[in-house]
């Protein structure tokens, strides 16, 4: 079997198809309201149902991706994505649109789970996560520029999600099959062995709980941003779409910068400070009364949001080289995303957009503390999965064995020294050698 590193672009492509729905949430919710005559709260509930099913798929598949194989699950997810969103696009019957959105959400969550598990096994999971977010931001920005020019109705955003699944399908041929798991460091797939305990449970649980509320605050604004622009700021849909495109372009810049900086600042500083800055941007955007305030808040928010998210995804991937915490934290994020539109819609209807922004800012400041604490607590673990750490934690030999790599001649990376071949000698062989040494010693003494 070849030990050549596996390319990350198929995982990035699948991540793009699975993560695109949350990025298009404002236009989906807005067009459900204008195209099907739903109220703001009802349209927000449909968006929440879509994202809730995405979270359900993530929780269900957290420990099953390597068992069933990346290729099979990715194709299942893309098929559900195409069928669900395609049905929602072709129908104007509200129950069928809701059912299609739910099925499409299951597909999006399945694709995202596959991509998250594979990204965690890459040599640099933060870089792979940044590439995925870069791809999603570019795709969503292009769609925000294109969709308003193609007409109204709810069908276009759902059709775009369905077509994204079709375009990504060929990339699944490069994913691993059933019964294999990608080895840590992005090397060739190895046979799937046995189950291992989930490592770093306390840190993973704290991170998953915090990111749920973190994502809820983000998407409480994102789910109603379109309505803030058109009703409170008095902008047209085309202008709002242009602002979103520019904002997502700023997100591209932020992700590129995060990829260039990498781990130089650690994880705690980007996560803590970035979350505080995001809270301030939410306050600015939710209180906007014109183009300048709305554009400033949205652009700066989209500049910092993917940067912090890339570090959070990289942190989750570093907790377990098999990607189980990456999938669970991603599913918790999807659950928060699912609650976001409903939370934003209900809060804005009862208290107004500015108060909603203040509440979400306070929530972000609260969750920034435990997320930064997890980043500091796990700072001893390097970004490269499978490497031996200088202090505490799971030895690299155990990590390698959990991934099915502990075999004769397996290479275990050492810190500050070149790779050395570790050869496992069976116990019976060692026993026979000891007996031979004793026999020879006895003969020498007797003579």
């Amino acid at each position: 079997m070849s030990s050549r590193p596996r390319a990350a672009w198929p995982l990035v492509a699948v991540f793009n198809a699975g993560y695109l729905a949350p990025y298009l949430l404002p236009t989906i919710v807005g067009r459900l309201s204008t195209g099907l005559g739903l109220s703001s709260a009802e349209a927000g509930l449909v968006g929440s149902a879509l994202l809730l099913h995405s979270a359900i798929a993530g929780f269900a598949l957290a420990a099953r991706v390597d068992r069933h194989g990346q290729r099979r699950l990715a194709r299942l997810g893309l098929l559900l994505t195409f069928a669900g969103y395609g049905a929602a696009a072709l129908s104007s019957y509200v129950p069928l649109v809701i059912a299609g959105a739910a099925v499409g959400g299951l597909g999006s969550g399945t694709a995202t789970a596959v991509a998250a598990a594979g990204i965690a096994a890459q040599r640099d999971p933060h870089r792979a996560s940044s590439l995925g977010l870069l791809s999603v931001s570019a795709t969503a920005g292009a769609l925000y520029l294109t969709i308003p020019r193609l007409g109204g109705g709810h069908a276009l955003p759902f059709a775009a999600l369905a077509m994204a699944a079709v375009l990504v399908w060929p990339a699944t041929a490069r994913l691993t099959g059933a019964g294999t798991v990608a080895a840590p460091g992005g090397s060739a797939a190895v046979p799937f062995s046995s189950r291992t305990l989930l490592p770093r449970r306390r840190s993973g649980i704290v991170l998953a709980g915090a990111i749920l509320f973190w994502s809820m605050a983000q998407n409480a604004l994102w789910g109603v941003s379109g309505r803030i622009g058109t009703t409170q700021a008095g902008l047209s849909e085309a202008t709002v779409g242009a602002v979103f495109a520019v904002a997502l372009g700023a997100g591209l810049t932020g992700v590129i910068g995060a990829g260039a900086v990498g781990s130089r600042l650690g994880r705690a500083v980007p996560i803590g400070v970035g979350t505080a800055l995001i809270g301030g941007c939410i306050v600015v955007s939710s209180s906007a009364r014109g183009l300048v305030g709305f554009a400033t808040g949205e652009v700066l928010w989209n500049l910092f949001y993917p940067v912090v998210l890339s570090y959070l995804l990289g942190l989750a991937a570093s907790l377990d080289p098999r990607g189980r915490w990456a999938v669970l934290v991603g599913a918790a994020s999807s659950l928060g995303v699912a609650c976001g539109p409903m939370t934003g819609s209900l809060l804005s209807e009862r208290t107004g957009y500015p108060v909603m922004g203040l509440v979400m800012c306070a929530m972000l400041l609260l969750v920034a503390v435990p997320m930064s604490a997890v980043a500091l607590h796990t700072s001893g673990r390097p970004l490269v999965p499978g490497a031996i750490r200088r202090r505490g934690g799971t030895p690299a030999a155990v990590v390698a064995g959990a991934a099915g790599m502990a075999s004769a001649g397996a290479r275990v990376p050492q810190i500050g020294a070149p790779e050395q071949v570790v050869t496992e000698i069976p116990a019976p062989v060692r026993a026979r050698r000891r007996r031979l040494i004793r026999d020879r010693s006895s003969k020498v003494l007797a003579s």
Side-chain angles (χ1 to χ4, degrees), residues 21-22 25 28-29 32 38 40-58 84-85 88 94-109 158 161 219 223 331 334-343 345:
L25 191 63
I28 291 175
V29 172
L32 285 173
L38 301 178
S40 298
E42 290 172 342
L45 286 174
V46 175
S48 295
L50 185 158
L51 298 170
L52 178 61
H53 283 77
S54 179
I56 290 173
Y85 295 140
V94 174
L96 184 58
V97 172
I98 296 174
V103 173
L106 288 173
S108 294
F158 285 119
L161 294 173
N219 287 274
S334 296
L335 184 60
V337 171
C339 299
M342 179 177 59
T343 303
S345 297

Side-chain angles (χ1 to χ4, degrees), residues 61-346:
L61 297 174
R64 294 178 173 84
V65 174
D66 46 11
R67 185 185 310 166
H68 298 289
Q70 295 177 353
R71 187 185 308 119
R72 179 186 298 175
L73 287 179
R75 288 177 174 175
L76 174 62
L78 295 177
L79 183 62
L80 291 174
T81 300
F82 174 76
Y85 295 140
L90 294 176
S91 176
S92 297
Y93 183 54
V94 174
L96 184 58
V97 172
I98 296 174
V103 173
L106 288 173
S108 294
T110 302
T112 303
V114 172
I119 286 173
Q122 292 294 307
R123 188 174 301 278
D124 187 349
H126 175 255
R127 181 176 179 273
S129 300
S130 299
L131 288 175
L133 292 173
L134 189 67
S135 174
V136 176
S137 298
T139 304
L143 290 174
Y144 273 116
L145 288 175
T146 304
I147 289 177
R149 304 178 185 277
L150 298 179
H154 74 286
L156 286 175
F158 285 119
L161 294 173
M163 289 306 301
V166 174
L167 294 176
V168 169
W169 183 276
T172 59
R174 301 291 299 273
L175 301 178
T176 60
T180 59
V181 57
S187 57
V190 296
F192 172 72
S193 56
S194 60
R195 296 182 180 180
T196 56
L197 295 177
L198 195 61
R200 294 182 173 272
R201 293 190 178 185
R202 183 180 302 175
S203 297
I205 291 172
V206 171
L207 181 60
I211 202 172
L212 188 153
F213 293 100
W214 186 88
S215 298
M216 180 191 300
Q218 309 293 329
N219 287 274
L221 174 67
W222 190 237
V224 298
S225 288
R227 296 200 298 275
I228 292 175
T230 55
T231 59
Q232 181 173 281
L235 306 176
S236 65
E237 183 185 5
T239 304
V240 172
V243 171
F244 287 160
V246 174
L248 291 171
L252 295 177
T253 305
V255 173
I256 293 172
V261 173
S263 60
R264 293 182 181 89
L265 299 176
R267 297 192 185 100
V269 172
I271 290 174
V273 177
T275 299
L277 291 173
I278 288 171
C281 295
I282 289 179
V283 173
V284 172
S285 181
S286 61
S287 60
R289 298 289 178 178
L291 176 60
V292 176
F294 180 73
T296 300
E298 293 291 327
V299 170
L300 291 179
W301 173 52
N302 279 275
L303 174 66
F304 297 121
Y305 165 74
V307 173
V308 179
L309 181 59
S310 68
Y311 281 97
L312 288 172
L313 294 178
L315 175 59
S318 72
L319 297 179
D320 178 23
R322 281 181 55 186
R324 289 167 293 179
W325 274 124
V327 178
L328 286 171
V329 170
S333 177
S334 296
L335 184 60
V337 171
C339 299
M342 179 177 59
T343 303
S345 297
L346 293 176

